[in-house]
Amino acid sequence: MASTSRIRPGVGDHPARTRLVAAVAAAATVGAALGLRSVATGDVAKYGGDALYTVLVLALVVLVAPRVTPLKAAAVALAVSWGVEFLQLSGVPAELSRHSTAARLVLGSTFNAPDLFWYAVGAAAGWSVLSLRATRRPGSTADRS
């Protein structure tokens, strides 16, 4: 008998399968970002990269916590992205970036207020994809109506 309670996204999926999908999504996001940088320049590359940065963080959140809801995953990804951006006001990321390519890629170096908007775009896009996946999964509440 089907439960009448609402099923959280991730529940009903095997966590290992969810983690595999999240790992593939993370790799695809890195590939998309590298591809974007190879074909685009200027604002398209920069702000598209910002949105993809948050999508990557969202995929990593799901990888670590496969039963997280889409809204929580998007909120955590947005909070991390914004936190990193605001950390740039301290100058610490700029100093680390001078010594490490990895630090430059992960932390950036200079605060840029428009980045905050594009991180939100990435979080919204990731939330949309996760929400669609959750409603189309067998056993979800969308299949019971």
Side-chain angles (χ1 to χ4, degrees):
M1 175 181 272
S3 169
T4 58
S5 67
R6 189 165 194 173
I7 293 184
R8 288 189 313 147
V11 175
D13 261 0
H14 194 278
R17 182 179 186 283
T18 301
R19 283 190 170 107
L20 176 62
V21 170
V24 169
T29 302
V30 169
L34 293 172
L36 180 64
R37 294 292 275 197
S38 71
V39 299
T41 59
D43 288 347
V44 171
K46 180 179 180 358
Y47 295 126
D50 289 344
L52 287 170
Y53 178 88
T54 303
V55 171
L56 174 61
V57 174
L58 189 146
L60 295 175
V61 168
V62 174
L63 182 66
V64 171
R67 295 180 189 262
V68 69
T69 65
L71 183 60
K72 285 182 185 176
V76 168
L78 183 59
V80 168
S81 298
W82 280 357
V84 168
E85 190 68 27
F86 283 114
L87 181 64
Q88 292 169 357
L89 291 169
S90 73
V92 171
E95 181 60 31
L96 293 172
S97 293
R98 283 198 253 318
H99 304 289
S100 168
T101 301
R104 188 179 73 238
L105 292 171
V106 173
L107 300 175
S109 61
T110 308
F111 178 81
N112 185 29
D115 291 352
L116 300 171
F117 170 77
W118 292 102
Y119 295 140
V121 169
W127 170 82
S128 297
V129 170
L130 284 179
S131 295
L132 283 173
R133 182 176 179 272
T135 59
R136 293 182 179 188
R137 188 173 28 249
S140 72
T141 54
D143 290 340
R144 291 191 192 134
S145 51

